[in-house]
Amino acid sequence: VPALHLLNSLLNAGTSSTAPTPAFLPPPQQLALAATLAIHPSLTTRAQSDDKLQASNLALKYLRLVLNLVGPINGNLRDAFAFSTVETSSRRGARKRTTADDLSPTKDDFDGINTELANAGSVWTRAQDFWHLVGWAFNCSVLHPRRWERWQLWLQYMIEVLENDWALRAQMRADDPDKERDPRERSMIVQYLNGGDIPARQERRILRAIFADGTSKSTGEFSEVWRNETKERKKDTEIKKSETKLDIEAGAWGPYMDDSSSVSDLNDIPPSASPTAAAPGTDSPTSIPNVSAPFGGPQSIALRLRLLALLSTVSVSLPQTFTPLPTLYDLYLENIRPLPLPSFFILVSPSSMQHFHPAAASSLTQIILRSLIASSAPSPITDDLTQKDLERCYLPYAANTGSISDNAKVSLCVETLMRLLHRACGLYWNNGLLQEAVKRGIEAREQKATKAGKGRGKWKGKGDSEGERMWLRGSAGRMRGLMDLLGGQENE
């Protein structure tokens, strides 16, 4: 704890606006150790004392300061947060076998940290790679709420690091587009994407990690990082929140460093809402149902969406380094299309699509929609959606099957496209042609939807067909509400 207090003080002093001096940063080995301290179960969910818990909180606070005040590139987080094996973890301070020829001091002799948590017990050594951590964290969001409280904070920080690192390198590229090597190729996200298995297998594994849902298959592939990690401390040694005083200067933020900003990404997803409830013509949060539990809650969904959006950005920018965007979106489709209706909606809703660039959100929704819509529906020339494309190619059509679930999914997709287009450039009345296309599509889907769903995508709510039809009619009602709003504006 004293060492972490000292590091925090040195960093704050170095970046003071009143007396700016070069910020003091420890070597990557110490930053790597701080990342382990912030998540290790012995200092978080199994912490036996206030001091251990405070050490974990201080470590995370310090890492956030490094990110916010110094940045991921100047802070050398790429090296600090690199994964290693037990054999190669000497870069974090592991002792190495020496001979008489090895007696001269090296950099590692000065930078080494002789502690288990900096070597074999480090998060960077225990995990196979970043996607192992992602998959396990999301499994915890479904199965182990107490452990997820800490993984959520850690993973949120790591995603912010990846996003900021990418943004800085993208700006470097924009400032010097003629530079021979694209600085984005050395980004942390590319480093995490290109490690391990052959590309095709790795891409699918990455998607399985992001969609980890706590099933036996998922926990088998993305297992706990430390042995007995989810085991909690005994009740007689619990550290009650009320006993942990709030002292920002001392770094005591409570046992789990509660951070209300962590849920801001999906604050528009309330804990209870009906699929049919909606404020006409708006992106009302009351139109979003209580469907986050299968994916671990709103915080978990927000982080999953941020990772999906980041992968989309990388794919657009570096298709040869990572994977072309159509290939990536095909993988998204494989994971999203079979989902039950509530989970499907939470991922393709307009609120969720806000995490993506508008063009990417439109393209992804169209790819999903085209896999479900009737074969008689014409295809637009490009994915650059226009209102004419919406009226001609999507709105009037039912699904390519008689499944109630598939027709509800088609309705949800066209509803999302309507709202995305309305948000981007506004929908116009078009002499009632838009309203007519909406009406025809609602009637076509209602008439064709006759069969309850089967398999993984089956709705397990109030009676199969009743629950699925509730989603179909709820989406239809929201689209009618939007048409009423547009019609009223046209008549004003």
Side-chain angles (χ1 to χ4, degrees):
V1 172
L4 288 167
H5 274 304
L6 177 61
L7 288 174
N8 274 281
S9 299
L10 289 172
L11 182 60
N12 276 312
T15 55
S16 170
S17 59
T18 56
T21 59
F24 172 81
L25 280 178
Q29 294 90 336
Q30 293 184 25
L31 291 173
L33 175 59
T36 296
L37 297 178
I39 190 60
H40 197 278
S42 67
L43 292 106
T44 54
T45 43
R46 291 209 307 265
Q48 299 296 318
S49 68
D50 284 334
D51 285 343
K52 288 187 175 182
L53 193 56
Q54 187 183 22
S56 178
N57 290 338
L58 276 172
L60 188 54
K61 177 185 177 182
Y62 179 68
L63 291 174
R64 286 197 171 280
L65 283 174
V66 171
L67 176 62
N68 295 331
L69 299 180
V70 182
I73 298 178
N74 292 333
N76 199 16
L77 298 187
R78 187 179 189 274
D79 288 343
F81 297 163
F83 289 83
S84 63
T85 62
V86 174
E87 291 77 12
T88 61
S89 63
S90 59
R91 70 177 181 81
R92 306 200 191 280
R95 292 180 179 271
K96 297 186 291 184
R97 187 186 302 273
T98 60
T99 66
D101 295 331
D102 298 324
L103 295 179
S104 58
T106 66
K107 183 177 184 295
D108 283 341
D109 293 327
F110 297 107
D111 291 343
I113 306 175
N114 187 23
T115 176
E116 175 75 10
L117 294 185
N119 298 289
S122 166
V123 67
W124 311 110
T125 302
R126 296 286 304 178
Q128 178 181 344
D129 57 14
F130 178 68
W131 307 106
H132 175 188
L133 298 178
V134 168
W136 171 240
F138 287 142
N139 279 330
C140 286
S141 74
V142 178
L143 299 174
H144 308 291
R146 287 289 303 277
R147 191 64 187 139
W148 167 241
E149 289 180 25
R150 199 67 194 194
W151 272 114
Q152 182 253 314
L153 294 172
W154 192 93
L155 186 57
Q156 179 187 349
Y157 168 75
M158 285 301 300
I159 293 174
E160 288 175 8
V161 169
L162 297 180
E163 291 172 337
N164 290 358
D165 178 72
W166 175 267
L168 287 171
R169 295 177 188 275
Q171 186 59 51
M172 291 165 61
R173 180 61 174 178
D175 293 341
D176 188 6
D178 297 327
K179 191 172 182 179
E180 183 176 352
R181 182 165 186 184
D182 190 332
R184 295 172 296 184
E185 293 178 355
R186 285 186 51 79
S187 64
M188 292 178 66
I189 183 62
V190 169
Q191 175 180 293
Y192 290 163
L193 288 171
N194 289 341
D197 215 335
I198 61 177
R201 292 179 181 175
Q202 175 73 344
E203 290 157 9
R204 279 187 161 78
R205 178 173 172 272
I206 289 169
L207 267 293
R208 291 196 298 272
I210 296 175
F211 284 92
D213 57 2
T215 60
S216 57
K217 183 178 180 180
S218 184
T219 55
E221 183 171 16
F222 306 107
S223 57
E224 63 181 7
V225 178
W226 291 277
R227 185 181 177 185
N228 298 324
E229 180 182 337
T230 59
K231 183 179 179 181
E232 298 178 8
R233 55 182 174 266
K234 296 180 180 179
K235 290 185 177 180
D236 58 353
T237 60
E238 285 278 0
I239 302 173
K240 298 180 181 178
K241 288 189 177 184
S242 59
E243 295 174 353
T244 308
K245 297 180 180 179
L246 179 65
D247 186 350
I248 299 299
E249 292 298 320
W253 297 354
Y256 291 105
M257 199 176 71
D258 293 330
D259 185 357
S260 60
S261 65
S262 65
V263 300
S264 61
D265 286 327
L266 283 189
N267 272 343
D268 54 348
I269 300 182
S272 59
S274 162
T276 58
T282 68
D283 290 331
S284 168
T286 59
S287 65
I288 303 177
N290 178 22
V291 295
S292 59
F295 278 123
Q299 300 98 326
S300 174
I301 293 169
L303 296 180
R304 294 172 197 260
L305 288 166
R306 286 170 67 178
L307 283 171
L308 291 174
L310 181 57
L311 295 189
S312 175
T313 300
V314 175
S315 184
V316 169
S317 305
L318 301 173
Q320 295 179 335
T321 301
F322 175 38
T323 190
L325 190 62
T327 302
L328 180 66
Y329 280 1
D330 283 343
L331 294 176
Y332 286 11
L333 175 63
E334 286 180 13
N335 286 274
I336 295 174
R337 177 178 168 172
L339 293 174
L341 270 168
S343 299
F344 178 90
F345 177 54
I346 203 65
L347 293 176
V348 302
S349 70
S351 298
S352 296
M353 285 295 171
Q354 290 185 73
H355 289 81
F356 292 80
H357 184 278
S362 175
S363 295
L364 177 57
T365 306
Q366 289 182 73
I367 287 173
I368 297 170
L369 177 54
R370 286 199 290 267
S371 74
L372 293 161
I373 205 165
S375 58
S376 58
S379 297
I381 298 175
T382 70
D383 284 343
D384 296 331
L385 188 67
T386 65
Q387 183 168 323
K388 184 177 179 180
D389 291 331
L390 192 64
E391 295 170 356
R392 185 177 67 93
C393 303
Y394 297 133
L395 284 173
Y397 294 94
N400 52 20
T401 73
S403 161
I404 304 173
S405 176
D406 284 352
N407 278 277
K409 289 177 179 179
V410 168
S411 185
L412 292 171
C413 284
V414 296
E415 178 191 352
T416 291
L417 288 177
M418 284 181 64
R419 294 184 183 277
L420 289 174
L421 191 60
H422 188 46
R423 184 182 297 148
C425 56
L427 294 171
Y428 56 95
W429 189 242
N430 196 20
N431 295 321
L433 294 179
L434 178 64
Q435 183 185 38
E436 178 60 26
V438 169
K439 180 181 178 182
R440 284 171 53 201
I442 290 173
E443 292 175 350
R445 290 185 285 272
E446 186 67 33
Q447 291 174 7
K448 192 166 185 178
T450 58
K451 300 177 182 178
K454 297 180 181 180
R456 184 184 175 194
K458 184 176 180 179
W459 162 253
K460 298 178 181 179
K462 349 169 140 175
D464 299 334
S465 60
E466 181 186 352
E468 291 169 346
R469 199 169 290 280
M470 179 175 64
W471 281 92
L472 177 61
R473 291 173 176 168
S475 177
R478 290 189 295 272
M479 285 191 282
R480 288 191 184 102
L482 181 55
M483 291 301 97
D484 290 344
L485 178 66
L486 291 175
Q489 293 174 346
E490 179 72 13
N491 295 327
E492 287 179 359

